[in-house]
Amino acid sequence: MSENSDSGLGSLGASLQLGRADMYLRRGDFDNAKSYYEEVIKSDPSNAKAYLGLLMVDVGVTQPEALAEDIEELKSNEYYTKLVECGGKDLIPSAEAMRAAAATAANDAALEEKYNSAVRIMNRARYAQDYATAASIFITIKNYKNSADLYSECNEKATEADRFATYKEAKMKIGSDSEEVLISAIQQLESIAGWSDADNLKSQASERLREIRAKRAEEENLVLKQKRKEKRAVAITIPLVLVVIAGIILCIVYVVPSLKYKKAVGLKDDAKYMEAADAFRNLGDYKDSVNMVDACKYKEAERLLEAGQYQDAIDLFYSIGGYGDAAIQAINCEKSIAKQDALLRAQSQINRLSGSAVGDSIELGDYEWTVLAIEDGKALVLADSVVDIKPYNDEFGSVTWEECSLRKWLNGEFYSSFNKEIKDRIQQTELTNPDNATYSTNGGANTTDFVFIFSNTDVGEYLGNGNAKTSDMWWWMRTPGQYDSYASRVSSEGKIYLDGDYVSALCGVRPAMWISIE
């Protein structure tokens, strides 16, 4: 024994000696641990916990779980024999139980990860495909939580979003002068009959189609009348008149439309797209005039898009939704507007940072944060509630904050979810990772992080044990727990628990970060 004399040990009670031995064992100080366990045996020869400690010292491990896989090899060990004789065999968890617990934890973690992923997709969905993606995940875990209900809800919202997209596209087509486009709009509105004012829009489209067809029929009737008149003239006039009439007809039917067509093409080449569209529309079905109307509108929509006039471009793209990729372009424009809105929202959040004070609640990204401290133009902010439920580390075993998967997620996927303007404000912070004050478990090396979770020291300094703001969930601290395969936590009532839980268990995550407010 390197730190205590025999007389010192003898003066301690067996219980205190056992506690001191356990402390040295957790630290990996096997020599001192063995000395104290032996002293316990001297005063209490049937103490199973002391024999378990001597067995762990002899094998060279600090946790009883580490003995589980080698039970057969341990049966020849004298300390294991004594342990069994004293009725302490159950102090060593079975390998089957450890594997079952790990498998259950891994399966639960996988289910929870799928569930949370589907919920995030569902909450941010705007289009039918997004809801369908979330539904495809929920159906694979339909017996987990309320996944079956959310699957049904996603399908309903996907149907609703699909109807809305069909409705919106059809509505844009109603202004078209093309019979083909109007027929397409009517068919789309029939597919969502009874939804919103689809029936009324169908009536409008049908009426416009009738008007266009009536106008076309009238024009055709005029042409027929003209032809009959010409035939009668041919029957009673001299051959010279026939030649004159033929020339006039040739001019009306071929020369004039040809000149008008060339003029419309010229307008299009001069980038006067809407004037060109009107000119082509007036030519009716001459050559490819109907298609050229939509082509000109498409070019004008592209011009508006390049000029940043997204809404005007969207309206024009939707008005020719049946032409080329116009409908897709309209959707891309809407996404550009959404991106622009996100940038403005981030800028608004940044602008509000400059006037922040301790205790203020501010919005950053998709989350609410509380300002806990302000130093040198920077504010320490803590998420008001749990942002996700995750394991401290994906695999069970010895791990520190420096190496855990939760740190990688916070400084990777979570950090990247912020807009660039906000990310530029988040400061790298040098963290001291203290040992567990109660169990002396090693906290690991210092780290530098953009986003982190509190240590128990941080909670005590900024929130106070028992007064930590929280939601209805427990949340992780980066301080290790009772063992180096445990991490400490804060309860839903805000109390610090330094004994902790398995690092592979699921628990809430409340990020913190230092952010520039200047």
Side-chain angles (χ1 to χ4, degrees):
M1 198 163 40
S2 62
E3 293 187 6
N4 298 279
S5 66
D6 291 342
S7 60
L9 284 174
S11 66
L12 296 172
S15 177
L16 184 57
Q17 290 173 352
L18 187 61
R20 187 68 62 82
D22 288 342
M23 179 189 70
Y24 282 119
L25 180 63
R26 286 194 299 272
R27 292 180 177 178
D29 187 346
F30 296 121
D31 290 338
N32 274 310
K34 183 177 181 180
S35 297
Y36 276 102
Y37 283 130
E38 288 175 344
E39 287 298 319
V40 173
I41 296 299
K42 287 179 183 179
S43 59
D44 184 5
S46 62
N47 193 306
K49 290 185 178 179
Y51 284 118
L52 174 62
L54 288 170
L55 177 61
M56 292 167 67
V57 168
D58 197 43
V59 176
V61 298
T62 60
Q63 298 179 35
E65 289 87 348
L67 301 173
E69 296 290 346
D70 302 316
I71 292 296
E72 291 301 321
E73 297 180 13
L74 295 177
K75 288 183 177 179
S76 60
N77 189 293
E78 62 175 313
Y79 295 125
Y80 180 82
T81 302
K82 289 289 188 181
L83 176 66
V84 173
E85 289 176 357
C86 295
K89 182 179 179 181
D90 292 340
L91 294 176
I92 303 176
S94 69
E96 291 77 10
M98 290 291 291
R99 284 193 292 270
T104 298
N107 182 60
D108 290 345
L111 289 172
E112 186 67 17
E113 179 62 26
K114 278 190 173 183
Y115 179 85
N116 289 335
S117 174
V119 168
R120 285 194 295 271
I121 293 171
M122 177 182 173
N123 288 340
R124 296 174 182 175
R126 292 184 63 195
Y127 305 105
Q129 183 57 45
D130 298 330
Y131 288 113
T133 299
S136 68
I137 299 174
F138 281 127
I139 194 61
T140 65
I141 54 171
K142 61 182 179 180
N143 294 324
Y144 185 71
K145 291 187 176 179
N146 62 335
S147 292
D149 293 337
L150 293 181
Y151 167 75
S152 299
E153 185 177 342
C154 280
N155 281 334
E156 291 174 3
K157 289 186 175 180
T159 300
E160 190 72 5
D162 192 50
R163 287 173 177 167
F164 178 73
T166 300
Y167 172 87
K168 194 169 183 179
E169 182 178 342
K171 185 176 182 179
M172 291 298 180
K173 291 179 179 179
I174 292 177
S176 175
D177 293 324
S178 166
E179 290 185 30
E180 182 181 352
V181 173
L182 286 169
I183 291 171
S184 172
I186 291 169
Q187 291 172 342
Q188 287 179 310
L189 292 167
E190 286 176 344
S191 71
I192 56 170
W195 190 83
S196 187
D197 63 337
D199 295 339
N200 180 48
L201 287 181
K202 177 189 170 186
S203 298
Q204 293 179 33
S206 299
E207 179 62 27
R208 182 160 180 77
L209 181 61
R210 283 192 293 272
E211 291 174 356
I212 290 174
R213 285 176 172 173
K215 182 178 179 181
R216 182 178 177 184
E218 183 180 351
E219 291 172 351
E220 290 174 349
N221 187 45
L222 289 173
V223 172
L224 286 173
K225 287 180 178 180
Q226 180 65 32
K227 287 182 178 179
R228 293 191 191 104
K229 189 175 182 180
E230 291 166 1
K231 285 181 180 180
R232 288 193 298 270
V234 169
I236 60 175
T237 58
I238 61 176
L240 182 59
V241 175
L242 288 174
V243 173
V244 173
I245 292 175
I248 293 172
I249 293 173
L250 178 64
C251 182
I252 293 173
V253 176
Y254 297 105
V255 177
V256 173
S258 177
L259 292 174
K260 289 183 176 180
Y261 185 88
K262 288 181 180 179
K263 182 179 179 181
V265 171
L267 289 169
K268 179 176 180 291
D269 292 341
D270 291 339
K272 297 177 180 179
Y273 300 120
M274 295 311 291
E275 291 182 42
D278 289 338
F280 280 120
R281 184 183 299 108
N282 291 333
L283 283 167
D285 58 356
Y286 178 76
K287 290 188 176 181
D288 60 346
S289 294
V290 173
N291 188 62
M292 289 297 286
V293 171
D294 287 344
C296 289
K297 287 184 176 180
Y298 186 92
K299 294 295 290 183
E300 175 65 8
E302 284 187 321
R303 187 192 68 77
L304 292 169
L305 178 59
E306 291 176 1
Q309 296 174 254
Y310 297 120
Q311 192 55 58
D312 291 338
I314 288 171
D315 293 342
L316 200 50
F317 275 129
Y318 271 126
S319 74
I320 54 170
Y323 178 81
D325 65 344
I328 295 174
Q329 289 283 19
I331 292 173
N332 289 338
C333 285
E334 289 184 334
K335 290 182 178 178
S336 296
I337 291 177
K339 184 177 180 181
Q340 192 176 60
D341 289 345
L343 179 62
L344 293 173
R345 177 168 172 256
Q347 190 59 54
S348 174
Q349 292 174 353
I350 289 172
N351 292 340
R352 287 196 293 269
L353 281 174
S354 60
S356 298
V358 173
D360 284 354
S361 181
I362 61 174
E363 183 183 9
L364 293 173
D366 295 329
Y367 308 101
E368 292 291 331
W369 308 72
T370 295
V371 178
L372 299 181
I374 294 178
E375 299 175 5
D376 301 326
K378 298 182 297 182
L380 173 63
V381 296
L382 174 70
D384 284 354
S385 59
V386 166
V387 302
D388 210 334
I389 301 173
K390 285 188 167 292
Y392 187 84
N393 195 55
D394 290 337
E395 297 181 359
F396 175 77
S398 174
V399 70
T400 62
W401 168 249
E402 178 188 18
E403 304 158 339
C404 73
S405 62
L406 180 55
R407 177 175 178 244
K408 294 181 178 67
W409 178 78
L410 284 170
N411 288 275
E413 181 181 338
F414 182 79
Y415 172 73
S416 297
S417 69
F418 289 102
N419 184 284
K420 179 180 183 301
E421 284 68 21
I422 293 178
K423 284 196 291 186
D424 289 344
R425 292 268 181 158
I426 300 174
Q427 306 293 299
Q428 282 192 311
T429 303
E430 294 184 5
L431 299 178
T432 299
N433 299 304
D435 295 346
N436 186 303
T438 300
Y439 300 100
S440 303
T441 319
N442 180 26
N446 295 342
T447 57
T448 301
D449 301 306
F450 284 106
V451 188
F452 52 93
I453 55 176
F454 273 1
S455 66
N456 68 300
T457 305
D458 296 331
V459 173
E461 179 178 355
Y462 296 110
L463 301 175
N465 189 13
N467 298 306
K469 296 179 182 178
T470 186
S471 61
D472 58 351
M473 298 182 187
W474 289 52
W475 42 283
W476 289 117
M477 294 186 291
R478 69 177 190 273
T479 304
Q482 181 177 3
Y483 305 109
D484 55 15
S485 57
Y486 282 50
S488 57
R489 304 184 300 164
V490 178
S491 74
S492 56
E493 292 81 19
K495 184 177 180 181
I496 293 174
Y497 282 83
L498 287 175
D499 52 346
D501 199 355
Y502 290 111
V503 294
S504 56
L506 292 174
C507 190
V509 181
R510 288 187 69 192
M513 55 192 181
W514 283 93
I515 186 162
S516 173
I517 59 174
E518 293 184 338

